[in-house]
């Protein structure tokens, strides 16, 4: 493979503190979906989540990573070769335990779980990061005292229109809608949608048509279906569906399950959720409006403790990053039923996420 071509590549984040390689670069076989390791770097401590952007350097691609540490940071990396190289210096996020990041309006935005805040860092001309220009602190808590003693921002992402930035907070049972000024890098709170108390929202994914969003809850194995009004910047919860069958919902009936990631099919017909503990991938069917979700089945994730789930760019394969079994497994998606069929696995110690070029 041409080392200056990032097409057909996957990037795997992992916890270096638990024996992970850090950031692994893998080639993706277009025919089989198989991953082959090309190189890795442990230059970033605990790079638990990654996002891909563009720069002006060789190859053009720039990888961004959070460093999920007590003194959290965000890092830009040149991925024109097989081994990622830091681009510029790591930038403190002025918060701790950053778990997620996204690109929005010429900036990188991080969700800082430990401090319950969101940080905005400018992307410079060459793709490197500038110093944090804004930190927006969340406030509040929830009824699950051991997990919701305060705010815990878990994910941040732009909406499909690009006009809003949403942050999902497990600690406050809510999703905040913000406006990001592309010129100043300032983030302003526009509104907040409060979900059912104690559900612990973790991650959110949009329907490809843009009018609905699906919030996956960690403290209860459910997904909350929401209407999204991009013109007004309003998120409205309209329903909630279990991602596990009744007999697998924990308590006396079985082990506790902590859903981690939600993914929506490119054609909007299916939704998948990863379940840690139950170690499964849930398949939910979406109706034509996108407003009704129904559980179809669950299948094994191909490992233990699936922290992340991702579709490849074609939408034909689903990949699970299984943190505690230390592997990334991949599945062919049945186009008629949405059910993932296992195809293979790659060793990846302490895997935390996988993204595609």
């Amino acid at each position: 493979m041409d080392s200056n071509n990032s097409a057909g590549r996957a990037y795997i984040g992992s916890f270096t503190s638990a024996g992970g390689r850090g950031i692994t670069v893998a080639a993706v076989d277009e025919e089989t979906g198989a991953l082959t390791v090309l190189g890795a770097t442990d230059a970033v401590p605990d790079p638990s989540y990654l996002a891909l952007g563009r720069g002006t350097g060789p190859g053009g691609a720039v990888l961004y990573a959070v460093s999920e540490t007590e003194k959290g940071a965000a890092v830009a990396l040149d991925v024109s070769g097989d081994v990622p190289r830091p681009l510029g210096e790591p930038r403190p996020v002025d918060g701790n335990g950053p778990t997620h990041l996204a690109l929005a309006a010429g900036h990188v935005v991080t969700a800082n779980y430990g401090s319950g805040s969101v940080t905005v860092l400018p992307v410079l001309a060459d793709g490197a990061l500038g110093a944090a220009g804004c930190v927006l602190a969340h406030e509040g808590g929830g009824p699950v005292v051991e997990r919701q003693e305060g705010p815990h921002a878990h994910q941040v992402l732009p909406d499909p229109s690009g006009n809003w930035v949403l942050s999902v907070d497990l600690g406050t049972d809510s999703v905040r809608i913000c406006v990001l000024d592309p010129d100043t890098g300032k983030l302003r709170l526009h509104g907040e949608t409060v979900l059912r108390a104690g559900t612990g929202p973790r991650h959110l994914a949009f329907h490809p048509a843009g009018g609905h969003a699906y919030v996956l809850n960690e403290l209860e194995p459910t997904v909350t279906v929401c209407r999204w009004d991009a013109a007004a910047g309003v998120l409205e919860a309209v329903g909630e569906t279990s991602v596990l069958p009744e007999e697998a919902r924990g308590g006396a009936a079985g082990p506790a399950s902590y859903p981690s990631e939600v993914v929506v099919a490119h054609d909007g017909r299916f939704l998948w959720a990863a379940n840690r503990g139950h170690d499964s991938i849930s398949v939910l069917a979406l109706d034509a409006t996108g407003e009704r979700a129904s559980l179809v089945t669950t299948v094994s994730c191909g490992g233990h403790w699936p922290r992340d789930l991702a579709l490849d760019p074609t939408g034909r394969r689903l990949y699970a990053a299984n943190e505690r079994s230390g592997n990334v497994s991949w599945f062919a998606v049945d186009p008629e039923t949405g059910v993932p069929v296992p195809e293979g696995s790659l060793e990846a110690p302490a895997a935390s996420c996988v993204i595609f070029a």
Side-chain angles (χ1 to χ4, degrees), residues 1-9 11 25 38 58-59 61 79-82 357:
M1 178 176 291
D2 182 352
S3 64
N4 288 322
N5 182 2
S6 62
R9 291 192 173 200
Y11 301 95
V25 182
L38 297 174
V79 287
S80 57
D82 292 343

Side-chain angles (χ1 to χ4, degrees), residues 46 48 66-73 93-100 110-117 152-154 307:
D46 290 345
S48 63
V66 293
S67 180
E68 190 177 335
T69 58
E70 184 67 23
K71 295 181 179 179
V93 298
D94 298 336
N96 62 60
T99 60
H100 195 268
T110 70
N112 311 316
Y113 181 87
S115 51
S117 60
H152 291 299
H154 215 304
R307 185 180 175 91

Side-chain angles (χ1 to χ4, degrees), residues 85-105:
R85 296 184 299 106
L87 182 64
E89 59 185 288
R91 295 293 187 176
V93 298
D94 298 336
N96 62 60
T99 60
H100 195 268
L101 81 170
L103 288 127

Side-chain angles (χ1 to χ4, degrees), residues 112-130:
N112 311 316
Y113 181 87
S115 51
S117 60
V118 172
T119 301
V120 183
L121 306 101
V123 175
L124 307 179
D126 64 352
L129 292 173

Side-chain angles (χ1 to χ4, degrees), residues 252-267:
S257 183
Y258 304 95
S260 59
E261 182 62 293
V262 57
V263 175
V264 180
H266 292 173
D267 62 7

